[in-house]
Amino acid sequence: AKTPADKFDLLYAYTYHLKVYDVWLHDNEGGMEGIVKDLANMWKRLLGNDDNKLGIDAEYTRPGVIQLLQDFKREIESACSEPPLKFIFQ
Protein backbone atom coordinates (compact mmCIF):
# COMPACT_ATOMS: atom_id res chain seq x y z
CA ALA A 1 0.00 0.00 0.00
CA LYS A 2 1.43 3.32 -1.04
CA THR A 3 -1.08 5.97 -0.04
CA PRO A 4 -2.39 6.65 3.47
CA ALA A 5 -5.89 5.75 2.20
CA ASP A 6 -4.67 2.35 0.95
CA LYS A 7 -2.85 1.74 4.23
CA PHE A 8 -5.99 2.68 6.16
CA ASP A 9 -8.10 0.20 4.19
CA LEU A 10 -5.61 -2.63 4.72
CA LEU A 11 -5.05 -1.91 8.40
CA TYR A 12 -8.77 -1.62 9.06
CA ALA A 13 -9.47 -4.95 7.36
CA TYR A 14 -6.61 -6.64 9.24
CA THR A 15 -7.67 -5.22 12.61
CA TYR A 16 -11.31 -6.09 12.05
CA HIS A 17 -10.33 -9.65 11.20
CA LEU A 18 -8.21 -9.90 14.37
CA LYS A 19 -11.10 -8.57 16.44
CA VAL A 20 -13.72 -10.91 15.02
CA TYR A 21 -11.54 -14.03 14.92
CA ASP A 22 -9.87 -13.57 18.28
CA VAL A 23 -8.77 -17.13 18.99
CA TRP A 24 -5.16 -15.90 18.63
CA LEU A 25 -5.75 -13.73 21.70
CA HIS A 26 -6.87 -16.60 23.91
CA ASP A 27 -4.90 -19.54 22.52
CA ASN A 28 -1.26 -18.65 21.95
CA GLU A 29 2.14 -19.50 23.35
CA GLY A 30 2.88 -15.94 24.48
CA GLY A 31 5.09 -13.42 22.78
CA MET A 32 2.16 -11.36 21.50
CA GLU A 33 3.41 -8.09 23.01
CA GLY A 34 5.42 -7.07 19.96
CA ILE A 35 2.62 -7.75 17.51
CA VAL A 36 0.08 -5.83 19.60
CA LYS A 37 2.48 -2.93 20.15
CA ASP A 38 3.36 -2.73 16.44
CA LEU A 39 -0.32 -2.78 15.44
CA ALA A 40 -1.11 0.03 17.90
CA ASN A 41 1.83 2.07 16.61
CA MET A 42 0.68 1.63 13.01
CA TRP A 43 -2.74 2.96 13.98
CA LYS A 44 -1.22 5.84 15.92
CA ARG A 45 0.85 6.91 12.90
CA LEU A 46 -1.98 6.42 10.42
CA LEU A 47 -4.58 8.31 12.47
CA GLY A 48 -2.18 11.26 12.56
CA ASN A 49 -3.18 11.90 8.93
CA ASP A 50 -6.16 14.08 8.16
CA ASP A 51 -9.41 12.52 6.99
CA ASN A 52 -8.97 13.62 3.37
CA LYS A 53 -5.60 11.91 3.16
CA LEU A 54 -7.11 8.73 4.62
CA GLY A 55 -10.11 8.96 2.30
CA ILE A 56 -12.54 8.75 5.22
CA ASP A 57 -15.53 10.70 6.47
CA ALA A 58 -14.93 12.84 9.57
CA GLU A 59 -18.49 12.58 10.82
CA TYR A 60 -18.98 8.81 10.76
CA THR A 61 -15.91 6.86 9.65
CA ARG A 62 -13.27 8.28 11.99
CA PRO A 63 -15.50 8.04 15.10
CA GLY A 64 -16.53 4.52 14.07
CA VAL A 65 -12.95 3.39 13.65
CA ILE A 66 -11.96 4.97 16.97
CA GLN A 67 -14.80 3.06 18.65
CA LEU A 68 -13.69 -0.19 16.99
CA LEU A 69 -10.14 0.41 18.25
CA GLN A 70 -11.37 1.22 21.77
CA ASP A 71 -13.38 -2.02 21.81
CA PHE A 72 -10.36 -3.91 20.45
CA LYS A 73 -8.16 -2.31 23.14
CA ARG A 74 -10.59 -3.39 25.86
CA GLU A 75 -10.58 -6.98 24.58
CA ILE A 76 -6.81 -7.13 24.26
CA GLU A 77 -6.09 -5.59 27.63
CA SER A 78 -8.61 -7.81 29.43
CA ALA A 79 -7.16 -11.02 27.98
CA CYS A 80 -5.18 -13.25 30.30
CA SER A 81 -1.64 -12.64 29.20
CA GLU A 82 1.69 -12.48 30.95
CA PRO A 83 2.94 -9.86 30.67
CA PRO A 84 -0.36 -8.01 30.25
CA LEU A 85 -0.92 -6.71 26.72
CA LYS A 86 -1.24 -2.97 26.07
CA PHE A 87 -2.85 -1.53 22.94
CA ILE A 88 -1.94 2.16 22.93
CA PHE A 89 -3.26 3.48 19.62
CA GLN A 90 -3.82 7.13 20.64
Side-chain angles (χ1 to χ4, degrees):
K2 297 187 181 200
T3 68
D6 291 339
K7 291 176 183 177
F8 177 88
D9 291 346
L10 286 171
L11 194 57
Y12 174 80
Y14 181 67
T15 304
Y16 180 81
H17 183 82
L18 289 176
K19 184 179 180 324
V20 172
Y21 300 101
D22 65 352
V23 73
W24 65 273
L25 186 56
H26 307 289
D27 185 17
N28 63 68
E29 300 299 320
M32 303 306 289
E33 307 85 29
I35 295 167
V36 169
K37 182 179 179 183
D38 290 347
L39 182 61
N41 285 336
M42 284 186 255
W43 273 113
K44 192 181 295 187
R45 282 192 308 274
L46 198 58
L47 290 172
N49 289 291
D50 66 38
D51 297 330
N52 285 336
K53 220 176 211 182
L54 294 176
I56 63 173
D57 176 70
E59 186 176 357
Y60 297 104
T61 307
R62 185 174 284 263
V65 168
I66 297 296
Q67 185 62 56
L68 173 89
L69 294 173
Q70 289 170 341
D71 293 347
F72 189 58
K73 174 184 174 75
R74 193 170 24 262
E75 289 176 31
I76 286 175
E77 293 183 357
S78 68
C80 293
S81 179
E82 195 54 48
L85 298 172
K86 296 289 180 196
F87 186 72
I88 305 168
F89 70 94
Q90 290 181 307

